[in-house]
Amino acid sequence: MGKNVIIFDTTLRDGEQAPGNSLSPEEKLRLARQLDALGVDVIEAGFPAASDGDFRSVREVATEVTRPVIAALARCTEGDITLAGEALRGAARSRLHVFLSTSDLHLREKLRVSRDDALQLIQDGVRRARAYTDDVEWSAEDASRTDPDFLCRAVEVAITEGATTINLPDTVGYATPAEYGAMFRSVRERVPGADAVTFSAHCHDDLGLAVANSLAAIQAGCGQVECTVNGIGERAGNAALEELVMAGVVRPQLGFRTNVVTQEIYRTSQLLSYLTGVFPQPNKAVVGANAFAHEAGIHQHGMLRNGQTYEIIRPEMVGISKSRLVLGKHSGRHALDRRFRELGYDLDDTRLGDIYRQFTVLADRKREILDEDLLALLHDSFQDAPEEYQLNHLRVVCGSIPASADVRLAGPWVGERAATGTGDGPIAAAFTAISEILGRQVEVISLQLRSVTPGRDSVGQVFLQARVDGKSLSGQGASTDIVEASARAMVHALNKSRHAERLEAAAHNANYMWGV
């Protein structure tokens, strides 16, 4: 069976802090619950010192998600560690994760401290963290570019002060598998007390070696791997959780196993993608759109004879159903319910009814409803903010004449408000009309359109970033009509903004009571 390797998921921290991956506290909690279902051992919920929102996110996840260990990141400073400790106070199982750079480059250029000063900071940081929990992890940032002798000294200080997990990250994705494995072997052999702690790998993908380096670290004795769903993260990303886990499943001779429920991998990947609007490239291993697609005639012939000819992973192993139920405008609620169950979703009557109404509208526009359409409808039905604003009517005129749009909105006012807008195209005209109704300046920063399904009648998913009166907002909408999808994305962004304003006010009052 091999040794059990701890899966430390840092999607909500290292993965979320990358550009474009920002999540609200409510979205983080929803994803944390799915990570719990996935079976990860540790969830790094955030960096409480980064912002009030991150503090609140960590506190909510720590309170609501009770099976896995909940970790919070902190620099080796008193303020960071205090905030992290307070955010974790309600956790059933907590871990304080403190870090300090150890490479001479980082000490000189970033921290501007000597090696001796760094050792003192490590000592003080781990000692402070131990006052909050017995489960303390210390990370040597930029370990792969650190002088080996000094790295051993730093690890020895952390172990002496009570750190139970030692993480040696390849912070900038510089190492090769041979180098990274050798570093762990050297530290484990040379540092007193190393046999009493868990060593952890944390790899970035700047050279495309994050998963390979993580596997090399396991071979060198690491008992924990830090990774993210879909491999999201700073720059080129982190080691991909799904690739590491499935490597252990498909290649048992690697000698390790995990507690991950592999059938939840695809669902987790899809949820993260819908929440961030960042989807894996089609050829992404394990969860990419083409991971289980076969087009070449030779491959198809082999697959018809025996699926193992070209698939080393069965789709069902990661939660992808091989069968497809064709749904159209003549399908009823029972057929829709059955297909969602086959996809792994057990919907209550209220949610099924809401989705079925959207389904019937979509079925009038499309000849065939695909699984991707159903997932788009499902994720669109999870409202992360109350619908104070509603798009009641949209009509656009465009072509060889200037584009115009008639829009009617319901909102935090009595009745409907209507306006007509013009613009360089129908989407711009719709946004102008919405701006007129609001009486506020609306500036679109970016608008991304993704085709959810193939074909001329594809559902379009729009991901929008906008600025309203100087405040940045984000939203998403789906429709077979990209103008309607864009308008719905703007309305979704407005609803999130209204919801966030209330939450910020509540958080301010709560933080005042906590003394934060």
Side-chain angles (χ1 to χ4, degrees):
M1 290 291 291
K3 67 178 181 181
N4 190 71
V5 170
I6 296 167
I7 295 296
F8 178 111
D9 183 277
T10 186
T11 305
L12 300 181
R13 198 277 299 173
D14 204 359
E16 188 261 351
Q17 68 189 27
N21 292 340
S22 181
L23 298 169
S24 69
E26 293 76 23
E27 289 168 335
K28 278 194 171 187
L29 181 57
R30 184 179 168 198
L31 187 55
R33 287 177 173 141
Q34 179 57 35
L35 291 171
D36 183 13
L38 181 63
V40 303
D41 302 289
V42 183
I43 296 175
E44 188 166 49
F47 187 5
S51 67
D52 288 343
D54 238 30
F55 178 90
R56 190 169 78 250
S57 294
V58 174
R59 190 170 64 189
E60 289 179 359
V61 171
T63 302
E64 298 291 333
V65 182
T66 59
R67 181 198 58 79
V69 174
I70 307 300
L73 186 71
R75 292 166 293 193
C76 283
T77 64
E78 183 176 2
D80 274 24
I81 293 169
T82 299
L83 284 170
E86 291 298 326
L88 291 171
R89 191 174 293 278
R93 303 167 65 201
S94 65
R95 175 180 297 185
L96 242 165
H97 181 191
V98 294
F99 73 97
L100 190 83
S101 295
T102 53
S103 70
D104 288 331
L105 176 63
H106 277 220
L107 294 179
R108 182 180 66 250
E109 301 296 337
K110 188 178 79 167
L111 299 180
R112 300 180 183 274
V113 298
S114 67
R115 287 184 173 184
D116 287 340
D117 291 336
L119 294 176
Q120 187 63 56
L121 288 169
I122 294 167
Q123 183 181 58
D124 294 343
V126 174
R127 186 178 297 168
R128 286 193 183 98
R130 286 278 297 185
Y132 287 94
T133 177
D134 291 335
D135 190 350
V136 174
E137 176 173 338
W138 175 73
S139 288
E141 186 180 11
D142 207 22
S144 58
R145 295 193 296 176
T146 297
D147 172 71
D149 292 335
F150 180 65
L151 181 61
C152 287
R153 289 175 61 196
V155 170
E156 183 176 357
V157 168
I159 292 175
T160 301
E161 290 303 320
T164 51
T165 300
I166 299 296
N167 181 36
L168 304 181
D170 184 27
T171 304
V172 292
Y174 178 73
T176 64
E179 294 168 345
Y180 199 53
M183 178 187 69
F184 279 100
R185 291 187 184 95
S186 174
V187 172
R188 293 180 66 228
E189 289 170 1
R190 296 175 57 187
V191 175
D195 57 342
V197 301
T198 300
F199 278 85
S200 178
H202 180 118
C203 298
H204 283 261
D205 209 34
D206 297 70
L207 293 177
L209 296 172
V211 171
N213 283 339
S214 299
L215 293 174
I218 293 173
Q219 296 297 306
C222 275
Q224 174 178 286
V225 176
E226 305 188 5
C227 45
T228 62
V229 176
N230 293 349
I232 67 170
E234 293 278 13
R235 304 180 313 280
N238 291 46
L241 178 150
E242 58 278 359
E243 296 175 25
L244 284 164
V245 169
M246 293 312 296
V249 172
V250 174
R251 301 296 301 275
Q253 58 268 46
L254 292 175
F256 76 95
R257 64 183 186 279
T258 72
N259 293 322
V260 168
V261 181
T262 62
Q263 291 80 7
E264 293 289 336
I265 285 176
Y266 185 67
R267 189 194 309 219
T268 309
S269 168
Q270 286 288 293
L271 176 60
L272 174 65
S273 298
Y274 275 98
L275 292 178
T276 63
V278 179
F279 289 79
Q281 72 270 22
N283 63 324
K284 167 73 172 67
V286 183
V287 294
N290 294 343
F292 298 97
H294 306 271
E295 184 171 343
I298 295 174
H299 286 214
Q300 290 175 342
H301 179 71
M303 288 296 297
L304 289 171
R305 293 292 183 90
N306 187 324
Q308 292 182 337
T309 54
Y310 288 102
E311 283 185 352
I312 61 171
I313 303 170
R314 297 195 312 276
E316 308 88 47
M317 294 171 66
V318 296
I320 299 175
S321 176
K322 290 193 301 183
S323 62
R324 185 185 302 275
L325 176 65
V326 178
L327 295 174
K329 63 182 181 180
H330 298 297
S331 302
R333 283 172 56 111
H334 291 297
L336 183 64
D337 183 41
R338 185 176 70 173
R339 187 64 194 126
F340 272 121
R341 289 179 187 276
E342 290 173 353
L343 291 170
Y345 295 91
D346 189 4
L347 307 181
D348 59 43
D349 289 339
T350 301
R351 172 147 286 126
L352 180 64
D354 291 340
I355 295 175
Y356 182 71
R357 284 189 288 273
Q358 299 175 58
F359 166 80
T360 56
V361 173
L362 181 60
D364 282 334
R365 301 177 180 179
K366 292 197 66 176
R367 183 170 54 187
E368 178 183 347
I369 307 298
L370 305 180
D371 290 348
E372 292 84 353
D373 295 316
L374 298 181
L375 290 173
L377 292 176
L378 174 67
H379 290 291
D380 210 36
S381 73
F382 282 92
Q383 296 298 327
D384 53 3
E387 290 188 281
E388 284 199 48
Y389 294 97
Q390 293 184 23
L391 180 66
N392 289 349
H393 173 80
L394 171 65
R395 178 178 178 273
V396 296
V397 178
C398 61
S400 59
I401 60 174
S404 65
D406 297 325
V407 175
R408 293 202 300 267
L409 283 185
W413 50 69
V414 177
E416 287 185 339
R417 289 184 181 177
T420 298
T422 59
D424 293 334
I427 294 176
F431 288 164
T432 300
I434 292 173
S435 179
E436 289 287 331
I437 291 173
L438 297 175
R440 300 157 70 184
Q441 184 179 0
V442 175
E443 176 189 1
V444 177
I445 301 171
S446 70
L447 187 146
Q448 298 180 45
L449 173 65
R450 174 179 176 269
S451 176
V452 176
T453 53
R456 295 176 60 184
D457 54 359
S458 170
V459 169
Q461 190 103 23
V462 170
F463 299 92
L464 170 81
Q465 289 184 320
R467 189 174 290 114
V468 177
D469 288 346
K471 184 173 183 178
S472 295
L473 311 175
S474 65
Q476 58 179 279
S479 174
T480 53
D481 186 311
I482 62 171
V483 182
E484 180 185 356
S486 301
R488 291 191 179 282
M490 178 64 76
V491 170
H492 181 231
L494 293 170
N495 282 321
K496 287 177 67 175
S497 175
R498 290 279 292 183
H499 190 45
E501 289 170 0
R502 292 189 176 86
L503 289 176
E504 285 297 327
H508 176 77
N509 293 334
N511 286 343
Y512 176 79
M513 294 178 66
W514 276 70
V516 176

